[in-house]
Amino acid sequence: MGQFGMGQSVRRSEDQRFITGHGRYTDDINLPHQAYAYVLRSPHASARITRIDVSGALAAPGVIGVLTGKDLEADGIGPIPCAAPITNIDGTPGRYPPHPALVTDRVRHVGDQVALIVASTPAEARDAAELVEVDYDMLPAIADTGSALEAGKPLVWDDIPNNLCFDWQMGDKAATEAGFAKAKRVARIDLVNNRIIVASMEPRNALGHYDRGDERYTLYTGSQGSHTLRKLLSGKVLNVPESKIRVVTPDVGGGFGMKLFLYPEQVLVLWASKKLGVPVKWTGERGEAFLTDTHGRDHVTHAEVAMDEDGRFLAWRVETTANLGAYLSNYGPFIPTAAGSGMLAGVYASPALYVRVKGVFTHTTPVDAYRGAGRPEAAYVVERLVDKAAREMGLAPEELRRRNFITPEQMPFRTAGGLTYDSGDFAKNMEDALQNIDQAGLPARKAEAARRGKLRGLGIACYIEQCGGGSDEMAELRFDPSGGVTLLIGSQSTGQGHQTAYAQIVADGLGIPFEDIRVVQGDTDTVSFGHGTGGSRSLPVGGAATSLAVGKVIERGRKIAAHQLEAAEADIEFKDGTFTIAGTDRQIDILSVVKSAFAGALPPGMEGGFDETARWTPPAGTFPNGTHAVEVEVDPETGMTEILRYVVVDDFGNVVNPLLLEGQVHGGVGQGVGQALLEGVVYDASSGQLVTGSFMDYAMPRAIHLPDIEFSYNVVPCRTNLLGLKGAGEAGAIGAPPAVINAIVDALAPLGIDHVEMPATPLSIWQAIQASGLAEAAE
C-alpha cells in the first residue's frame, strides 16, 4: 500500500481548485445569447388567483417573455412527479395531487411559482416582475403538523379530506399488542422532530438550452445526480426520450439530500428556452431558498416501549404524523415511511415493532430528504425513549442499553423492523465512548458545576442506520496511450471528496500514481449510467463498482503481460503496479502494458485499448452504527447550553480515507447539533407565512457552538459489501440530536424535567426551568 492507498489519510486533491477560486459551479457557466429568468412567487400561503395581467411586464425594457401556468399547460408540460408513492393500510393508493412548475388558479404555499419573467439581464427580469398584476382571493391556511388532520381545518386540496395523503403501517401489530399485554412496565414519550431549512452554501440554480437543430435539451444545474434528473424530466414532464436530454452537473456547493430532486425552476428554464429561442438562466437567492428548497424532518410522534420486570424490551409502538408540505416532492412520502421506519428497532433485540405513519398536506414548503432522510428521525425517537425508560426504572441509561443490545454473536440479526444487520459491536462502541468522555469522573464535574450555579449533564445515543444500498452503480476506467486513467462514475460529489476517495481506490488497486487519475462525474453525455449520490452510497456502491473495474483491468493486463513476457497467464502475478512471472525477476509495469495495448502488441484476438467497465449491485444495505456521548452545561438563569465535550465512536467497516471520514462525521455532527439547539422553521399559524425566512430569524450553528469533536472508530467489516465498507455520510447528523437532548435532560433531571423539545433554545430551556417550580433551587 502506497502513500495514497486504501486506508490512508489523503488530503482532498480537489481542494486546491476550490480554495483558489477555480471551482466551476453552475453560476460560472454562461452561454451565447443567454437570457435570465426571474420567478414571480406567491406572497400568500393559500389563495385563488382570479386574474393575471402580464401586459405591463411584457412592455418593460429587456423583457423577452412572460410565461404563466396556462402557457405551461397549453404546451403540454407535465407536473413534477412523485417517484415514491405509498400505499394505505387498506391497500388503496395514497393521494397524489399534481405539482405544476407554474400554478394556474391556486397557490398553496408562500413562494409558490406564479409566473416566469425572462429578460436580457437579471435586473430587467426582476424589475419587470413588479409589473405583473396578480389578483388573489385569500383563503384560510393550515401550517401546523399536529392539527392538520383535525376536522374543520383548512384543506390544502379540496378533494383530499382532512389533508390526509396516506395512512401507512409496517411491522407485526398482533405481536406488538401481545408484547404490551404482558409488559410489566411501559415507557412513553411525545416528541417533535423539528422542521429544518437545508441552507446549502450554494443556492439552487439552473441554465437551460434547447438546440433546435438537434431537437435536444441541455440542463446545467447543481444536483446530486444528473441521470436521476434526466429520467424525471424525460417522462411525463417534457415527454421526450432520455436521449433528447443532456444534464450536466459541475461542482456543487453542498446538497445534503435537498439537491437530489427535480424542482420547478429546472423545468421552467428548459421549457422557456425552447419557447423563446434563447438559453435561459435562473440563479436562486437565499430568500428563495428558504421558501422553495425542500425542507427536512417535521414529524410529530407518540412512541411507547413495553418492557419486562428487568427492563428488557418486548415491543415498540410508534405513531407519527409527517408533514409533507403543500405538494409532494419526488421522494417525500418515502422519507417518513420506508426510508427510516425499519430503524425504529434501533440496536436492540426487541421481538416486536409496529409503526403507523400518517402523511399530511399543509400550506408549507414541500418536505423531502435531509441528511439522513428518515434515519435521524428514527434514532431520535428510539434513543430519547430509551433514556426516558431508563430514568423511569431508576437505571442508568447505559445499563438499560446493555441489557438490550444485539450482540456480535447474534449477527446476522433480523430485527423486528424487518432488516437484517450483518455486523456490529454496539456495546463496545458505547463502552469506548463512555471511557473516552470519562464518565467515571462525571459526579465530580457535576458537583463542581453546581458550586458555580450551573447544571451539568451527560447524554449518549447509540444509533444505527441503513444506507449504502439500493440500486446498482457503474464504473468505467478509460486509459489513454500515455498511461493516464480516467474514472467515469455516476455518483455526484457535493463536497464529500469523491475525486480523492475514488482515486485512492484506483491507485491502490493498480499501483498507478494518484495524481494521474482523473475522476469524471455529472454529465449524462459522458457518463453513460448512474444513480447519483444519496443515502451514503457513493463509496459503498460506486467504490465497489470501481474496485470491480480495477479487477477487470488487472485481468486484461495479465493477458497482455503474459504475451509480452512469453509466459503462461496463470504464472503472472500482479502487485504494486507490476506484472511478474512467479518465482522470477522478469516483470513489466502496468504503464508499459497499457502502452502496449495501444501500440497493438496484444495477444491474438484481443482488441486494442485498455478500457474496462463494471457494475455493482449491493445485495443489501450497510448498517453503520456508533455511539455519541455529549457533556453539556446549562445556565439555569439564562437557559444557555454549552457543549463542553463531544465524543464519537463509530463503526463504518473498512475505511478508505480516515481524514475524509472524520470530516464527514464533523459536518454531520454540526448539522445535528444545529437541529438540537438552534434550527427550527416557524410558520405563522393563521397566515402560513414563513416567520424564519432569513438568517436574521433562523439560527445556524457556528464554530462557537461546537467543541473539538473527539472521533474514533471500531472496524467491524461489512459482510454484504464488496469492500467491507459501511456508508458514512449521514451518521453524524443521526447520532447528534438525541445525544445532545439526552445530555440536556440529564442536566435538568434534578429539576424534574424529563423532556425538552428541539431546538432546545435558551428561551425554551429557561421556560422549562421556570415551569418546573424548582428554578430557585437550581440557582
Side-chain angles (χ1 to χ4, degrees):
M1 178 172 62
Q3 179 183 359
F4 300 105
M6 292 275 285
Q8 301 298 300
S9 289
V10 179
R11 290 186 179 274
R12 301 196 326 178
S13 57
E14 53 264 65
D15 283 353
Q16 177 64 28
R17 59 191 175 87
F18 289 153
I19 64 177
T20 58
H22 291 91
R24 189 168 186 258
Y25 299 86
T26 302
D27 200 48
D28 296 316
I29 300 172
N30 295 288
L31 300 177
H33 312 297
Q34 173 180 291
Y36 296 85
Y38 180 84
V39 180
L40 179 67
R41 302 186 183 279
S42 169
H44 308 298
S46 179
R48 289 190 182 89
I49 298 174
T50 59
R51 183 180 72 98
I52 300 180
D53 184 352
V54 303
S55 58
L58 280 170
V63 171
I64 299 169
V66 180
L67 305 173
T68 68
K70 293 189 183 300
D71 299 317
L72 189 83
E73 202 173 67
D75 286 353
I77 304 299
I80 293 170
C82 174
I86 294 298
T87 301
N88 291 317
I89 291 174
D90 61 6
T92 60
R95 305 300 293 272
Y96 299 98
H99 183 188
L102 288 175
V103 299
T104 53
D105 58 358
R106 180 84 177 263
V107 294
R108 290 181 165 85
H109 70 92
V110 176
D112 217 345
Q113 296 78 218
V114 175
L116 185 76
I117 298 90
V118 180
S120 299
T121 69
E124 289 171 334
R126 177 187 289 274
D127 289 346
E130 297 184 5
L131 302 176
V132 178
E133 297 180 10
V134 185
D135 291 341
Y136 294 99
D137 180 8
M138 292 181 60
L139 299 169
I142 175 69
D144 176 58
T145 306
S147 62
L149 290 169
E150 293 177 4
K153 292 294 182 179
L155 297 181
V156 179
W157 298 90
D158 293 340
D159 60 343
I160 299 180
N162 302 112
N163 296 308
L164 180 65
C165 176
F166 61 79
D167 185 356
W168 177 89
Q169 69 176 359
M170 68 154 283
D172 190 330
K173 187 175 183 180
T176 300
E177 297 298 333
F180 275 87
K182 66 180 181 181
K184 299 299 183 181
R185 294 177 179 268
V186 176
R188 300 175 175 88
I189 196 167
D190 292 290
L191 49 81
V192 174
N193 208 291
N194 44 321
R195 181 182 279 231
I196 297 297
I197 286 171
V198 178
S200 60
M201 186 176 292
E202 179 200 21
R204 288 191 298 109
N205 41 55
L207 170 58
H209 176 224
Y210 181 75
D211 188 320
R212 295 190 184 280
D214 289 343
E215 296 183 329
R216 197 163 186 255
Y217 296 94
T218 298
L219 173 66
Y220 300 89
T221 190
S223 81
Q224 291 177 228
S226 298
H227 295 84
T228 300
L229 291 185
R230 182 178 67 173
K231 183 176 182 180
L232 290 169
L233 283 164
S234 167
K236 296 180 180 179
V237 180
L238 297 179
N239 299 294
V240 296
E242 288 188 45
S243 60
K244 291 293 184 180
I245 304 173
R246 178 191 181 196
V247 179
V248 180
T249 294
D251 292 325
V252 181
F256 312 116
M258 180 267 293
K259 288 180 183 170
L260 272 169
F261 319 119
L262 179 64
Y263 286 90
E265 296 84 1
Q266 292 161 329
V267 176
L268 293 176
V269 295
L270 292 172
W271 168 60
S273 176
K274 181 178 181 180
K275 194 169 186 68
L276 301 176
V278 293
V280 177
K281 185 175 189 177
W282 172 81
T283 300
E285 299 178 355
R286 186 61 63 186
E288 288 180 288
F290 273 70
L291 291 173
T292 65
D293 292 357
T294 55
H295 293 174
R297 318 299 190 226
D298 204 343
H299 294 179
V300 175
T301 297
H302 174 75
E304 303 172 296
V305 61
M307 299 169 284
D308 66 15
E309 61 275 9
D310 296 319
R312 289 184 173 81
F313 301 150
L314 303 174
W316 297 75
R317 189 162 51 202
V318 181
E319 295 184 2
T320 291
T321 300
N323 195 340
L324 304 170
Y327 302 100
L328 297 177
S329 180
N330 296 155
Y331 306 104
F334 174 72
I335 304 307
T337 54
S341 292
M343 307 316 303
L344 286 164
V347 292
Y348 308 109
S350 311
L353 168 69
Y354 177 72
V355 181
R356 186 173 182 180
V357 180
K358 294 181 180 180
V360 298
F361 292 107
T362 61
H363 290 106
T364 62
T365 300
V367 178
D368 211 314
Y370 170 62
R371 199 166 190 169
R375 287 98 72 199
E377 297 91 317
Y380 185 65
V381 170
V382 170
E383 290 303 291
R384 282 295 298 121
L385 183 52
V386 170
D387 249 45
K388 192 167 187 291
R391 293 187 185 282
E392 290 178 2
M393 290 192 68
L395 293 174
E398 65 273 14
E399 176 57 30
L400 186 59
R401 289 174 168 88
R402 287 188 190 105
R403 295 182 185 186
N404 288 283
F405 277 141
I406 302 164
T407 67
E409 294 74 26
Q410 291 175 288
M411 299 293 181
F413 184 89
R414 184 168 177 81
T415 73
L419 302 172
T420 300
Y421 300 165
D422 66 282
S423 59
D425 191 339
F426 310 137
K428 179 171 175 52
N429 293 336
M430 185 184 75
E431 302 300 345
D432 287 353
L434 290 173
Q435 180 177 348
N436 292 351
I437 207 167
D438 185 23
Q439 184 196 34
L442 181 65
R445 297 194 297 275
K446 282 192 172 187
E448 187 277 331
R451 288 193 291 271
R452 292 184 287 106
K454 304 295 175 66
L455 301 168
R456 190 175 287 227
L458 174 65
I460 61 172
C462 300
Y463 80 92
I464 188 166
E465 64 150 329
Q466 180 188 28
C467 63
S471 303
D472 58 344
E473 202 60 67
M474 184 186 77
E476 182 178 356
L477 286 170
R478 293 182 184 174
F479 289 77
D480 61 55
S482 68
V485 60
T486 298
L487 171 67
L488 294 92
I489 193 155
S491 61
Q492 178 62 54
S493 177
T494 57
Q496 300 94 328
H498 287 186
Q499 179 177 316
T500 301
Y502 283 132
Q504 280 183 261
I505 294 173
V506 177
D508 185 80
L510 296 180
I512 290 175
F514 177 84
E515 58 274 13
D516 289 347
I517 300 165
R518 180 169 172 255
V519 178
V520 174
Q521 304 176 91
D523 187 340
T524 57
D525 272 9
T526 303
V527 181
S528 61
F529 175 83
H531 282 105
T533 291
S536 301
R537 67 186 304 274
S538 290
L539 280 189
V541 186
T546 300
S547 179
L548 286 176
V550 165
K552 293 176 76 171
V553 164
I554 292 171
E555 289 308 306
R556 181 176 180 82
R558 193 189 311 277
K559 292 180 173 63
I560 299 172
H563 178 69
Q564 294 285 312
L565 296 172
E566 298 180 336
E569 184 181 334
D571 293 335
I572 299 297
E573 297 176 343
F574 180 78
K575 184 179 180 181
D576 296 333
T578 300
F579 294 95
T580 303
I581 300 176
T584 76
D585 60 359
R586 295 185 61 204
Q587 60 186 31
I588 183 172
D589 64 82
I590 191 169
L591 295 182
S592 297
V593 170
V594 171
K595 292 175 183 178
S596 296
F598 282 95
L602 300 167
M606 179 179 282
E607 295 181 358
F610 207 75
D611 302 342
E612 290 290 350
T613 299
R615 291 172 82 141
W616 163 258
T617 301
T622 70
F623 294 94
N625 58 88
T627 296
H628 290 219
V630 186
E631 190 166 331
V632 303
E633 194 169 85
V634 177
D635 184 341
E637 294 186 355
T638 64
M640 287 290 294
T641 297
E642 180 183 1
I643 298 178
L644 303 174
R645 290 189 66 189
Y646 201 110
V647 168
V648 182
V649 179
D650 280 319
D651 166 19
F652 295 124
N654 294 332
V655 175
V656 174
N657 185 320
L659 187 63
L660 291 184
L661 178 66
E662 186 169 1
Q664 285 288 293
V665 172
H666 285 187
V669 167
Q671 288 180 293
V673 168
Q675 180 176 8
L677 295 181
L678 301 162
E679 299 182 57
V681 176
V682 177
Y683 283 96
D684 180 77
S686 60
S687 68
Q689 290 290 329
L690 180 62
V691 177
T692 51
S694 75
F695 288 134
M696 294 294 291
D697 300 295
Y698 185 89
M700 293 283 283
R702 296 171 171 82
I704 194 173
H705 297 112
L706 288 168
D708 289 338
I709 297 167
E710 303 166 51
F711 170 68
S712 61
Y713 54 87
N714 293 315
V715 177
V716 183
C718 178
R719 301 175 185 177
T720 62
N721 181 267
L722 185 66
L723 298 176
L725 305 177
K726 301 174 185 178
E730 297 154 301
I734 295 171
V740 171
I741 298 300
N742 284 344
I744 293 172
V745 171
D746 184 56
L748 300 179
L751 307 182
I753 297 170
D754 64 1
H755 182 61
V756 294
E757 296 286 9
M758 299 188 293
T761 62
L763 176 60
S764 67
I765 291 177
W766 183 85
Q767 289 174 330
I769 293 172
Q770 300 306 308
S772 74
L774 298 174
E776 292 184 4
E779 298 170 4

